[in-house]
Structures are given as structure tokens and as C-alpha cells.
Amino acid sequence: MGVLEGRVAIVTGAARGVGAGIARAFAKEGARVVVVDLDEEGAAGVVAELTPYAEALALRCDIRDSAQVDACVASVVARFGSVDVLVNNAIDAVSARFEETTDDELDRVLDTGPKATLYFMRACFAHLRDSGYGGRVINLRSGSEPQGLAGFGAYVASKAAVAGLTRVAAREWGRHGITVNNLAPFVLSEGARSYFDERPEELEKIILKTMSVPRLGDAEHDVGRAAVYLAGPDASYVTGVTLSVDGGGSFFS
């Protein structure tokens, strides 16, 4: 029996990358996983991978729209009866120099970052509170915050805001049996790969050479397993923290 047997987990942005890796790790530990993404085809493909291990469901949701988020969570509860774990992974990351960042780019990153994170947490609160396992929220943070990574001003601001929401929710929701933590991984998303493909010297000299374990992380076996820990029974006394899964590339104080 897996350590997440019986739990219902929502993972946003899970059609690919880190979200898909977390979904795979959860399913292999027995969780029923809801793959939330705008990419219906990609989400369905991940669900097909998960079903040999556990029941899974793909849901399309524009996380910028709080009404769609509420409807998404309601659909999960109608299907599975509860929400025990929420992973806020999805974000529309953009890269642009600080002075060249447009209003639209800033809105996109903030709408899909802290605002969507709050929407999902708010929609899931009552179900997490009533979870028989103890509710778990895992928000995705980034090592780009302490690094002040050039070219990602809006993204860094968005992730810093998510970290603030995590701290407040950890304070408020701990009394309801809900833990709220951050994961800060280093796995190259498609967007990040595109950025570094144009700047290979930055990946090698600025990032890989600053890491204590100089390799790229694996979405399932590195990040997903860390998420399993935070979602499972061994982390019931851990809240309000940031767990870096980035080979020692960043240290959060």
C-alpha cells in the first residue's frame, strides 16, 4: 500500500513537466490524481499513464478565472468526494528584461501565479479542513527569488507573492489540520529550455556551476518524491517551509 493510498490530489499544470512528474509520483503511491490543465490532450495523456497505478481524472481549467476554479474543485468533489492534497504548480512564465516587461506579461504571470494559487486554496479550504488524512497544500516556489535571476522579473515577483501566501495560510490553517508548504525545484520547463537554448552559457556558467549537485532535476524522481513526502503522513508537523529540490542551487533563509 502506498503512503498516499486513498487520498485525492489536485495537481495544476500537470499535462507536462514538474506537474506531470508530481502526478506520476502521487499515483504510484496510491493517490487518486486530478490532472488540471488548459491542454486537454496533454492532460489526457498523463491520465493514461497514471491509470495503471490509481484512478485519475483530467480536467480543463483556466486558472485565471475564479469561477472556473470553483467549478473545477466542485467537479473533483462530485467525482471523488473530497480534496486531500492541492498542488499549485501551473504558471504562465514569461522571460523579459525588467524595463521591457509589458503590462500583459505582468498580468499573465500574476494571474496564473499568486491569484490562481489563492483561488484554488480558497476553493479547496473546506474540503482540506474536513479531510480525514489532514489537508496538504504544496505551492511551487522558485530559486530564482534569492538569485534575482535576470530576465525573469515578473516571474520572480509572482513566485515571491506565492511564498507570502504560503506563510500566511500556514499560520491560519494549521489550526484546521492543514499544512501549507512550498517546493522550489530546478527542472527545466519548456519555457525555461527555450530561454536557455538561446543562452547556453548562462545554464552552464551561471546555474550548473553554482549548484552543489550539478545536474538537472528529474520531475518525477526528484521533485515528485519530495512532493510525496510533503503530502504524506511523515510531514504532518511540517508547515510554512520551503523545501528546495534543486541540487543546492539556492538556499532559502
Side-chain angles (χ1 to χ4, degrees), residues 54-140:
E55 190 174 359
L57 172 69
L59 288 178
R60 185 185 186 279
C61 179
D62 185 342
I63 64 175
R64 299 170 297 179
D65 184 340
S66 64
Q68 288 196 37
V69 171
D70 290 345
C72 175
V73 173
S75 295
V76 174
V77 174
R79 172 72 176 269
F80 295 119
S82 68
V83 178
D84 305 298
V85 181
L86 169 66
V87 180
N88 284 302
N89 165 71
I91 188 170
D92 188 357
V94 298
S95 62
R97 303 298 297 184
F98 203 95
E99 68 278 8
E100 296 171 353
T101 301
T102 67
D103 292 352
D104 179 65
E105 288 170 334
L106 180 60
D107 287 342
R108 280 163 49 199
V109 179
L110 294 178
D111 287 347
T112 57
K115 290 179 69 174
T117 295
L118 190 150
Y119 293 160
F120 264 100
M121 291 174 66
R122 185 176 64 191
C124 289
F125 169 70
H127 309 293
L128 295 166
R129 179 194 59 200
D130 297 337
S131 168
Y133 300 98
R136 300 283 189 270
V137 178
I138 303 170
N139 295 327
L140 272 289

Side-chain angles (χ1 to χ4, degrees), residues 101-244:
T101 301
T102 67
D103 292 352
D104 179 65
E105 288 170 334
L106 180 60
D107 287 342
R108 280 163 49 199
V109 179
L110 294 178
D111 287 347
T112 57
K115 290 179 69 174
T117 295
L118 190 150
Y119 293 160
F120 264 100
M121 291 174 66
R122 185 176 64 191
C124 289
F125 169 70
H127 309 293
L128 295 166
R129 179 194 59 200
D130 297 337
S131 168
Y133 300 98
R136 300 283 189 270
V137 178
I138 303 170
N139 295 327
L140 272 289
R141 200 175 175 185
S142 172
S144 62
E145 292 172 58
Q147 295 169 10
L149 186 61
F152 287 91
Y155 177 76
V156 168
S158 177
K159 288 299 187 181
V162 168
L165 292 176
T166 298
R167 289 192 293 270
V168 172
R171 291 286 191 198
E172 294 185 3
W173 290 5
R175 313 247 176 218
H176 298 289
I178 304 168
T179 66
V180 188
N181 293 292
N182 294 304
L183 266 182
F186 181 51
V187 174
L188 289 190
S189 65
E190 291 182 4
R193 285 188 185 278
S194 176
Y195 177 85
F196 288 117
D197 281 346
E198 298 176 4
R199 304 162 181 85
E201 72 285 351
E202 288 192 29
L203 180 62
E204 178 61 29
K205 296 180 181 179
I206 298 177
I207 296 182
L208 292 180
K209 286 189 176 179
T210 67
M211 298 168 67
S212 305
V213 182
R215 66 170 175 84
L216 298 178
D218 181 84
E220 177 184 345
H221 300 293
D222 293 318
V223 183
R225 293 306 306 171
V228 166
Y229 162 70
L230 290 176
D234 291 339
S236 64
Y237 201 49
V238 177
T239 196
V241 307
T242 295
L243 177 57
S244 296

Side-chain angles (χ1 to χ4, degrees), residues 25-37:
F26 279 3
K28 290 177 182 179
E29 288 292 344
R32 291 171 287 177
V33 181
V34 182
V35 176
V36 176
D37 208 290

